[in-house]
Amino acid sequence: MSQPTIESILQENRLFPPPSDFAENAMIGSMEKYKEIYDKAKADPEGFWAELAESELDWFEKWDRVLDWQPPHAKWFVNGKINISYNCLDRHLTTWRKNKAALIWEGEPGDSRTLTYAQLHREVCQMANVFKQLGVKKGDIVGIYMPMIPEAAIAMLACARIGAPHSVIFGGFSAEALRTRLVDAEAKLVVTADGGFRKDKTIPLKAAVDEALQDNHAPSVENVLVVQRTQEKVQMEPGRDHWWHDLQAGASADCPAEPMDSEDMLFILYTSGTTGKPKGVVHTTGGYNLYTHVTSKWTFDLKDTDVYWCTADVGWITGHSYIVYGPLSNGATSLMYEGVPRPANPGCLWDVVEKYGVTIFYTAPTAIRAFIKLGEHLPKARDLSSLRLLGTVGEPINPEAWMWYHKVIGGERCPIIDTWWQTETGGFMLTPLPGATPTKPGSATLPFPGIITEVVDLEGKPVKANSGGYLVVKHPWPSMMRTVYGDDDRFRRTYWEHISPQGDQHFYFAGDGARQDSDGYFWVMGRVDDVMNVSGHRLGTMEVESALVSHPAVAEAAVVGRPDEVKGEDVYAFITLEGEYDASEALENDLKQHVVKEIGAIARPAAIQFTDSLPKTRSGKIMRRLLRNLAAGQEVAGDTSTLEDRSVLDKLRSGA
Ligand code: WT7
């Protein structure tokens, strides 16, 4: 089990102060310094952010108000004009960083490429001009469905350059999931590749785009731009589909960055919630640029000598904020890797660390648990001495995995930053600052300066130290999501109405439970809603249920997360069948495949249990809590008195 328990937290009293040589050279090198900055920011958040916006970013025109807060809507740097692609590229070209590596890319088949800031700028400008040529205008939304290749980052920056918000759709999503996202955003252009390499196979991305667009099912899409990657044969529809290399050849490298309003939409990113329909999280330009810039700078303690590697995919927020925008805005060197460990080369990540002398390595607890399984002989056979800082994100990290990471990968000399945040928050909320914060294995420690977090009850009252409650943010911050695309009402309901504090207060709550220990450290306990965390990927139980019930054999489906040693959780589905169908292994496989088709391989149920009935309350609500216990093989805990038919439980336990 990966989720921490209250017992394990109360017993966890190991404390790791920042190594003294790290602290000496760090931007923020002591707890006193952190507290000083934190207190200053708390006393005057607007002044704090304004000072940083002034010193850290380039603006075409200065804002006239720092914050306009009409709960739950915030506007930051009102009427300021800025372009994040300019801040990530152009401003570095007038410094020595012009010829510094911006992106180092290592491809799965072993090919590689390095783009300096000047080269990246050139390609971004060319792609931006190609977008314009294809009719994309400021405000038009561009879908990006790509493998982990430099062109994914280039496409994002090209969108930002001309003010066309992007909607990146993870390359592991199915054609059906791609279609619903393209339709919801009314995307005009899709940028994709012929395919991507995944382990020993290729993923047919272009074919998935064809399927998504077939029979005019995503009518807003006018053009498809295709990057050649795998060289596999694809259908190119005349007039609609274009090869990137064909158009790049004729494209000018001159494309000035469009001055954008601070509050112009930068991107939409879909994420799972408690209902079947994924929501489009909207982020805007100025505040997001500032927040990802400052958090990257201080939390990774970025230096010009660093080779920084975040192993996430650009299809998730981690890739947006901490592969592309945050590091590049700082002029850092960001490494992108297309591969994943596979039987032919289980130590490939450590080869990459050694090959490029990676200094900062940022990954997920599920990956660390997989490394532990693969064996410590793999990292031990490589030279990892270049590493100076390690990070984790995506789910609570179990202290054993933390200790292994510290010892085997970090050689006991690298601080570990456990960063808690979400698609919605845009950037780190709780995190150690590596030269300042003493760490405790399993705790995301303390809030970033300018962030005010608390653990509260449903009335918004703080709970006692070491008791569980809801993790909330009490003051707006620059990179907070602005709304749910096309559904502002859902934005209010989802994030701002669960907790009802007294008076005129408004607390942001996005679904995590937490505790604060007697030192004030935060321990995130995981989701308290119907959202699963499978290998660090966020999946709604209802989303998988709707996929299952769209199969003709399924009458009813209830999905829960089941604890898994490596993945954190896996998907466990209870199914009742329509009368004319019988349970069989073939049907089970068919249903799993159906979920892969509807959502993607990340949602594939690990197990399906057929049953005649599901446990429900008298009012007809499925009692998922009981199903979670059953799936985990635990005794059914808590109150079962609201159960309508108690015999259902016995049947389920006996597997019927
Ligand atoms: C959910 C957000 C933020 C990028 C990756 C996932 C969980 C994330 C931690 C952490 C405990 C964490 C939370 C959160 N989570 N980081 N360090 N400790 N839990 O982004 O898909 O928006 O998921 O991931 O449950 O709500 P996401």
Side-chain angles (χ1 to χ4, degrees), residues 139 141 183-186 265 268 270 277 279-282 481 483-488 491:
I141 291 170
V183 168
D184 186 76
E186 295 178 85
M265 177 159 64
I268 308 176
Y270 287 85
K277 194 173 171 252
K279 36 185 189 245
V281 170
V282 171
M481 74 181 286
T483 188
V484 170
Y485 188 68
D487 196 349
D488 195 56
F491 172 61

Side-chain angles (χ1 to χ4, degrees), residues 38-327:
Y38 189 84
D39 291 345
K40 185 178 150 198
K42 191 172 175 185
D44 176 16
E46 294 178 36
F48 173 75
W49 292 118
E51 202 179 306
L52 286 164
E54 185 93 58
S55 62
E56 296 294 324
L57 300 182
D58 284 19
W59 296 80
F60 298 124
E61 270 174 54
K62 201 177 159 173
W63 57 92
D64 41 49
R65 251 181 99 182
V66 180
L67 172 65
D68 176 2
W69 177 223
Q70 317 272 346
H73 295 113
K75 289 187 181 144
W76 282 90
F77 308 109
V78 181
N79 292 327
K81 301 283 178 283
I82 189 169
N83 187 297
I84 195 170
S85 145
Y86 184 93
N87 276 307
C88 288
L89 301 168
D90 306 53
R91 63 168 172 162
H92 304 312
L93 303 187
T94 53
T95 71
W96 71 270
R97 289 194 182 113
K98 179 175 179 185
N99 296 318
K100 176 182 172 177
L103 287 181
I104 294 178
W105 171 74
E106 176 79 10
E108 169 70 297
D111 48 344
S112 61
R113 208 178 150 194
T114 297
L115 286 123
T116 63
Y117 274 94
Q119 290 168 323
L120 183 60
H121 173 260
R122 185 182 166 80
E123 297 229 359
V124 168
C125 287
Q126 287 181 315
M127 198 180 277
N129 279 327
V130 166
F131 289 175
K132 287 191 199 163
Q133 188 188 326
L134 294 174
V136 178
K137 296 197 177 57
K138 187 169 172 173
D140 289 341
I141 291 170
V142 174
I144 298 178
Y145 185 60
M146 292 280 261
M148 276 292 282
I149 57 177
E151 287 78 3
I154 292 169
M156 291 163 73
L157 290 160
C159 285
R161 197 158 186 89
I162 61 171
H166 53 71
S167 167
V168 182
I169 296 121
F170 172 57
F173 277 124
S174 67
E176 182 56 26
L178 170 65
R179 186 186 63 78
T180 53
R181 285 160 179 77
L182 293 174
V183 168
D184 186 76
E186 295 178 85
K188 244 185 128 173
L189 168 73
V190 179
V191 186
T192 189
D194 48 359
F197 293 103
R198 179 81 188 173
K199 299 197 172 172
D200 299 311
K201 293 187 302 200
T202 62
I203 320 175
L205 294 169
K206 173 62 168 63
V209 173
D210 293 342
E211 196 184 327
L213 302 187
Q214 158 182 307
D215 302 327
N216 208 23
H217 276 145
S220 57
V221 176
E222 293 168 3
N223 290 287
V224 179
L225 185 63
V226 188
V227 177
Q228 194 165 44
R229 171 67 187 132
T230 54
Q231 317 269 343
E232 63 206 287
K233 200 158 168 39
V234 294
Q235 303 280 343
M236 294 293 279
E237 193 175 301
R240 185 194 74 180
D241 300 348
H242 318 267
W243 286 110
W244 159 236
H245 56 265
D246 284 345
L247 299 186
Q248 184 184 18
S252 153
D254 179 24
C255 178
E258 181 74 23
M260 301 300 293
D261 190 273
S262 294
E263 283 300 327
D264 277 338
M265 177 159 64
L266 175 63
F267 64 85
I268 308 176
L269 187 56
Y270 287 85
T271 189
S272 298
T274 50
T275 68
K277 194 173 171 252
K279 36 185 189 245
V281 170
V282 171
H283 282 288
T284 58
T285 306
Y288 177 84
N289 191 355
L290 179 67
Y291 197 76
T292 53
H293 177 99
V294 177
T295 48
S296 297
K297 182 170 173 162
W298 292 352
T299 310
F300 292 123
D301 186 46
L302 279 178
K303 301 201 173 0
D304 269 316
T305 43
D306 278 318
V307 177
Y308 160 83
W309 181 16
C310 163
T311 65
D313 190 284
V314 290
W316 310 113
I317 191 70
T318 311
H320 284 55
S321 301
Y322 298 113
I323 294 177
V324 182
Y325 292 118

Side-chain angles (χ1 to χ4, degrees), residues 230-556:
T230 54
Q231 317 269 343
E232 63 206 287
K233 200 158 168 39
V234 294
Q235 303 280 343
M236 294 293 279
E237 193 175 301
R240 185 194 74 180
D241 300 348
H242 318 267
W243 286 110
W244 159 236
H245 56 265
D246 284 345
L247 299 186
Q248 184 184 18
S252 153
D254 179 24
C255 178
E258 181 74 23
M260 301 300 293
D261 190 273
S262 294
E263 283 300 327
D264 277 338
M265 177 159 64
L266 175 63
F267 64 85
I268 308 176
L269 187 56
Y270 287 85
T271 189
S272 298
T274 50
T275 68
K277 194 173 171 252
K279 36 185 189 245
V281 170
V282 171
H283 282 288
T284 58
T285 306
Y288 177 84
N289 191 355
L290 179 67
Y291 197 76
T292 53
H293 177 99
V294 177
T295 48
S296 297
K297 182 170 173 162
W298 292 352
T299 310
F300 292 123
D301 186 46
L302 279 178
K303 301 201 173 0
D304 269 316
T305 43
D306 278 318
V307 177
Y308 160 83
W309 181 16
C310 163
T311 65
D313 190 284
V314 290
W316 310 113
I317 191 70
T318 311
H320 284 55
S321 301
Y322 298 113
I323 294 177
V324 182
Y325 292 118
L328 297 181
S329 180
N330 280 282
T333 297
S334 181
L335 193 146
M336 268 177 99
Y337 180 48
E338 191 185 21
V340 283
R342 59 189 199 281
N345 187 2
C348 59
L349 282 100
W350 317 123
D351 288 336
V352 173
V353 171
E354 186 177 275
K355 178 171 174 187
Y356 296 102
V358 170
T359 59
I360 304 173
F361 181 71
Y362 185 42
T363 195
T366 181
I368 298 167
R369 292 190 299 265
F371 302 149
I372 298 175
K373 267 211 145 152
L374 288 167
E376 64 178 56
H377 62 284
L378 295 168
K380 286 208 160 135
R382 274 84 174 174
D383 179 5
L384 305 184
S385 61
S386 57
L387 291 170
R388 66 180 195 95
L389 175 60
L390 303 175
T392 100
V393 59
E395 57 179 305
I397 183 165
N398 42 317
E400 313 84 77
W402 195 102
M403 287 306 298
W404 186 90
Y405 199 30
H406 170 68
K407 285 193 180 131
V408 180
I409 306 303
E412 299 187 37
R413 74 181 176 276
C414 304
I416 296 179
I417 47 165
D418 175 355
T419 59
W420 174 82
W421 58 296
Q422 308 172 306
T423 305
E424 294 87 340
T425 70
F428 305 150
M429 302 303 278
L430 295 174
T431 179
L433 295 182
T437 319
T439 51
K440 301 184 188 187
S443 169
T445 72
L446 298 166
F448 193 81
I451 301 301
I452 298 166
T453 46
E454 198 158 66
V455 179
V456 301
D457 61 17
L458 282 173
E459 280 85 54
K461 293 202 203 74
V463 299
K464 288 201 305 281
N466 287 317
S467 20
Y470 303 98
L471 179 54
V472 296
V473 189
K474 295 170 64 181
H475 190 274
W477 66 102
S479 66
M480 64 197 282
M481 74 181 286
R482 297 303 194 259
T483 188
V484 170
Y485 188 68
D487 196 349
D488 195 56
D489 196 47
R490 191 168 172 199
F491 172 61
R492 286 174 188 278
R493 272 184 285 120
T494 311
Y495 303 102
W496 301 93
E497 287 177 5
H498 281 276
I499 312 288
S500 320
Q502 293 278 302
D504 197 25
Q505 299 190 85
H506 298 270
F507 292 178
Y508 165 86
F509 173 64
D512 282 305
R515 299 169 204 271
Q516 252 186 302
D517 66 18
S518 39
D519 295 328
Y521 275 42
F522 288 84
W523 298 78
V524 180
M525 312 296 293
R527 306 286 307 194
V528 296
D529 53 9
D530 291 323
V531 170
M532 299 174 284
N533 192 325
V534 179
S535 300
H537 299 314
R538 185 162 153 187
L539 267 180
T541 50
M542 300 259 276
E543 202 180 338
V544 183
E545 285 164 8
S546 350
L548 283 163
V549 296
S550 72
H551 189 285
V554 176
E556 220 179 356

